[in-house]
Amino acid sequence: DVTRKAARATGITGGVIAAAGVGLLAGGLGMTGAVKTCDQDVDLCRRRFALGLAVRSVGISLLDAGVGLGMSALVWNSSDPRRRMIAWSALAAVGGVGFIVGEVLLVRSAIPFNRGNTDPSGTLADWRDHWDQHHRATPAGFAASLRGLGVGLLAGAVTGLVVQRRFLGPRGARAL
């Protein structure tokens, strides 16, 4: 049955993407934690710190993209094609808004970090001050999460709509 196969494929894909995200998230956290007590050149520590935060953000985005795909896979459980179409349309709208808002917030939240991390004069010359100011990066983490969830919801919804339309013919759910 097409609905079971599509649900299974979307769910498994979401799980694999989420697992990859967990791995990258753990790696990014490890990379940022490794530079907590930096006894090397401050510029080198800042570059390693920035790389760790970037890996962490990608991991968060992938984790939540996998969750979004998994959520869209649940729509296949409905036996009514029209309800699936309505649910996927709503998920696509929510996912699109989540992606756009997440991207905007990610760019905006990176401004203070980039200013403090790339300024040659070093607005926070002491590494400890720099670490204390930026190591949490909560706004960037939230933005990456929102972006990833939006991408996952949007991708899962569009996939569901396309697969359902292909197997129901050109009139889609209205044919039933």
Side-chain angles (χ1 to χ4, degrees):
D1 183 40
V2 173
T3 57
R4 281 194 212 124
K5 289 179 182 177
R8 190 176 319 124
T10 307
I12 289 171
T13 302
V16 168
I17 290 172
V22 168
L24 285 171
L25 176 58
L29 290 172
M31 291 168 72
T32 56
V35 296
K36 181 177 181 178
T37 55
C38 178
D39 56 357
Q40 300 169 354
D41 178 45
V42 173
D43 287 335
L44 177 64
C45 294
R46 286 180 180 189
R47 283 194 301 275
R48 288 182 179 168
F49 185 48
L51 179 61
L53 287 178
V55 170
R56 185 196 77 161
S57 289
V58 170
I60 291 171
S61 291
L62 285 175
L63 171 63
D64 287 323
V67 170
L69 276 172
M71 291 170 64
S72 68
L74 294 175
V75 175
W76 282 108
N77 290 331
S78 173
S79 60
D80 183 8
R82 184 146 177 82
R83 285 190 181 166
R84 286 194 303 257
M85 184 182 72
I86 291 168
W88 281 319
S89 297
L91 286 178
V94 170
V97 169
F99 171 71
I100 292 168
V101 170
E103 277 296 311
V104 169
L105 290 176
L106 196 58
V107 168
R108 296 289 300 153
S109 67
I111 292 171
F113 174 76
N114 288 340
R115 191 176 299 127
N117 210 46
T118 59
D119 184 5
S121 64
T123 54
L124 299 170
D126 179 43
W127 174 252
R128 190 71 197 154
D129 290 342
H130 186 77
W131 171 262
D132 289 341
Q133 178 95 16
H134 297 294
H135 79 277
R136 286 184 192 86
T138 304
F142 174 73
S145 178
L146 192 57
R147 173 185 62 184
L149 186 61
V151 166
L153 288 173
L154 187 60
V158 168
T159 301
L161 288 167
V162 168
V163 168
Q164 178 167 289
R165 182 168 179 93
R166 179 161 184 248
F167 286 99
L168 288 176
R171 295 189 324 196
R174 288 176 200 73
L176 296 178

